[in-house]
């Protein structure tokens, strides 16, 4: 059923979240036009963001196996940056330090809202699933979460919205300040295992591989987020590009989409090689390869798809509005799937319906 357009309003909560975000990078870049080639002749630099985790497998594999570099060719220089959560990546887009990024749905909406529909466009999907609420084994029901501390990756990120809405549906209140019936404690994913095992938190609503890490640390899955969505499908990662870069370098954006489609094909047809690539690449970033057994444990919970599953993003926006983390937003114009469908058609694959 088609949804009616939302009113376009800027969220004060979004401004606070994005403004407070700090950016982590693997390479430093200026924010002048020359960084992306501007309107000048010569090689174009494409600065691509992603998270070093399994839900961003197409990005991780695409970088590690040289898929993006091959599709972009010698005329487009690829620079990469990594992030812990979406708001920081969006701040990098806004500051001009990033041209495109793999990111979750709620930060995507926030960026579109804050810029009044001007700053970004979704150009492809990437992944679905791979998110769960892991809790102490003695917690067996939602009611037992009352008074407990549960972590999420960052205030206002996709998982933060998901747990707040789920709790609201179950009659439990949360506040942005960490109060209410269940205390939500935003923290970096890398901290969650330590705080979980120390007893500082009682659980976490997180993406893989942190779901599997927490399970292996003695936790249990109370909620698999796939069970909350039609056909068990919801966007966890899509690919967005700054509108400025899209307008200035459409050929580079099309080649990036070609890289995304090729990376997803690699992930889906060569899972063992893709899993090893993820382990190796995360090791290069963090200094310690991700346990291959952990990746294999998490793999079945994910679906790698080029479809951005737009309906789930719009539903996620409804959820964010319901928990007062944003205001209603008119999403008309957010999706630009022209290049994705051109690439899919060339390869004889089914095109994705433009929202």
């Amino acid at each position: 059923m088609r949804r009616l357009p939302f009113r376009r309003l800027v969220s004060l909560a979004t401004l606070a979240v994005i403004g407070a975000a700090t950016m982590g990078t693997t390479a430093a870049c200026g924010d002048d036009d020359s960084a992306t080639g501007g309107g000048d002749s010569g090689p174009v630099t494409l600065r691509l963001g992603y998270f070093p985790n399994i839900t961003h497998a197409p990005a991780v594999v695409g970088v590690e196996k040289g898929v993006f570099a091959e599709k972009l060719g010698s005329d487009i220089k690829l620079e990469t940056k990594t992030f812990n959560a979406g708001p920081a990546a969006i701040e990098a887009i806004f500051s001009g330090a990033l041209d495109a990024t793999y990111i979750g749905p709620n930060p995507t909406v926030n960026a579109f809202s804050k810029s009044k529909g001007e700053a970004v466009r979704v150009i492809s999907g990437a992944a679905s699933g791979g998110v769960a609420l892991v809790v102490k084994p003695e917690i067996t029901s939602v009611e037992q979460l009352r008074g407990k501390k549960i972590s999420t990756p960052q205030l206002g990120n996709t998982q933060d919205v998901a747990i707040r809405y789920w709790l609201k549906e179950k009659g439990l209140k949360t506040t942005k300040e960490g109060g209410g019936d269940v205390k939500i404690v935003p923290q970096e994913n890398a901290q969650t295992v330590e705080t979980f095992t120390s007893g500082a938190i009682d659980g976490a609503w997180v993406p893989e591989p942190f779901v599997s890490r927490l399970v292996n640390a003695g936790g249990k899955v109370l909620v698999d987020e796939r069970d909350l969505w039609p056909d068990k499908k919801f966007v966890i990662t899509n690919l967005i590009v700054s509108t400025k870069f899209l307008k200035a370098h459409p050929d580079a954006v099309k080649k990036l989409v070609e890289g995304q489609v090729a990376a997803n094909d690699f992930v889906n047809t060569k899972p063992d090689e893709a899993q090893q690539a993820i382990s190796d690449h995360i090791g290069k970033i963090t200094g310690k390869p991700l346990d291959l057994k952990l990746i294999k444990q998490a793999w079945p919970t994910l679906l790698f798809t080029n479809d951005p599953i737009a309906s789930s993003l719009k539903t996620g926006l409804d959820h964010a509005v319901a928990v007062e983390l944003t205001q209603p937003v008119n999403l008309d114009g957010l999706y630009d799937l022209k290049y994705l469908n051109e690439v899919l058609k060339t390869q004889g694959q089914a095109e994705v319906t433009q929202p």
Side-chain angles (χ1 to χ4, degrees):
M1 181 176 178
R2 193 171 186 83
R3 294 181 176 277
L4 294 175
F6 298 104
R7 291 178 294 129
R8 186 190 306 264
L9 291 171
V10 179
S11 165
L12 294 177
T14 296
L15 293 174
V17 170
I18 294 178
T22 57
M23 181 179 72
T25 69
T26 58
C29 284
D31 60 358
D32 58 303
D33 285 346
S34 63
T36 57
D40 301 331
S41 59
V44 173
T45 297
L46 171 60
R47 298 163 300 178
L48 177 67
Y50 61 99
F51 304 175
N53 62 36
I54 301 175
T55 59
H56 286 228
V60 176
V61 172
V63 173
E64 176 65 21
K65 302 301 290 186
V67 177
F68 292 129
E70 178 186 350
K71 294 299 181 182
L72 291 174
S74 59
D75 292 336
I76 304 171
K77 179 183 177 183
L78 178 66
E79 293 184 359
T80 61
K81 304 170 183 285
T82 58
F83 300 85
N84 173 68
I90 293 304
E91 177 61 22
I93 289 275
F94 284 172
S95 71
L98 202 63
D99 303 309
T101 189
Y102 285 82
I103 199 167
N106 202 59
T108 299
V109 170
N110 289 346
F112 195 74
S113 170
K114 182 182 178 184
S115 66
K116 300 182 180 179
E118 298 297 328
V120 299
R121 296 291 182 267
V122 175
I123 54 175
S124 178
S128 167
V131 181
L133 170 60
V134 183
V135 297
K136 296 290 186 182
E138 61 269 21
I139 298 174
T140 59
S141 69
V142 61
E143 184 58 32
Q144 288 178 295
L145 294 174
R146 190 180 295 274
K148 299 296 193 293
K149 292 182 179 180
I150 305 296
S151 76
T152 63
Q154 191 167 359
L155 175 63
N157 97 311
T158 303
Q159 288 78 53
D160 191 68
V161 168
I163 187 172
R164 290 175 190 275
Y165 181 77
W166 180 75
L167 289 169
K168 178 181 174 66
E169 287 290 283
K170 301 299 182 180
L172 297 174
K173 297 180 180 180
T174 63
T175 71
K176 292 190 286 290
E177 297 74 26
D181 298 321
V182 181
K183 304 181 188 309
I184 304 300
V185 184
Q187 61 185 218
E188 291 192 3
N189 288 326
Q191 294 180 279
T192 57
V193 176
E194 179 182 348
T195 53
F196 183 73
T197 55
S198 71
I201 60 172
D202 302 289
W205 193 295
V206 287
E208 290 287 9
F210 302 99
V211 171
S212 295
R213 279 179 167 167
L214 291 171
V215 169
N216 293 347
K220 73 172 185 179
V221 173
L222 185 64
V223 179
D224 183 332
E225 192 173 340
R226 291 179 298 173
D227 295 334
L228 307 180
W229 293 92
D231 300 322
K232 294 183 178 290
K233 294 180 181 179
F234 65 99
V235 59
I236 182 61
T237 309
N238 49 213
L239 175 58
I240 67 172
V241 66
S242 80
T243 308
K244 180 179 179 181
F245 189 87
L246 176 61
K247 291 178 178 178
H249 305 290
D251 290 343
V253 173
K254 183 176 181 180
K255 290 179 180 179
L256 174 62
V257 172
E258 289 175 352
Q260 153 57 30
V261 173
N264 248 359
D265 183 63
F266 190 108
V267 167
N268 285 315
T269 60
K270 302 176 182 178
D272 291 340
E273 193 173 344
Q275 291 161 13
Q276 185 64 59
I278 292 169
S279 175
D280 294 342
H281 191 75
I282 292 177
K284 292 175 183 178
I285 293 172
T286 66
K288 183 180 180 180
L290 185 60
D291 187 347
L292 197 56
K293 291 181 180 179
L294 197 69
I295 299 174
K296 292 183 180 297
Q297 180 180 341
W299 205 256
T301 69
L302 285 150
L303 171 68
F304 300 106
T305 173
N306 299 306
D307 186 345
I309 318 176
S311 60
S312 68
L313 179 141
K314 293 178 180 179
T315 299
L317 171 59
D318 290 346
H319 294 173
V321 171
V323 297
E324 300 180 356
L325 284 179
T326 191
Q327 296 289 333
V329 180
N330 183 342
L331 296 178
D332 292 346
L334 173 59
Y335 291 86
D336 187 345
L337 305 181
K338 172 185 175 182
Y339 295 126
L340 174 62
N341 282 327
E342 286 181 5
V343 173
L344 293 176
K345 185 176 181 180
T346 298
Q347 297 187 4
Q349 299 185 43
E351 297 180 36
V352 175
T353 302
Q354 176 81 44

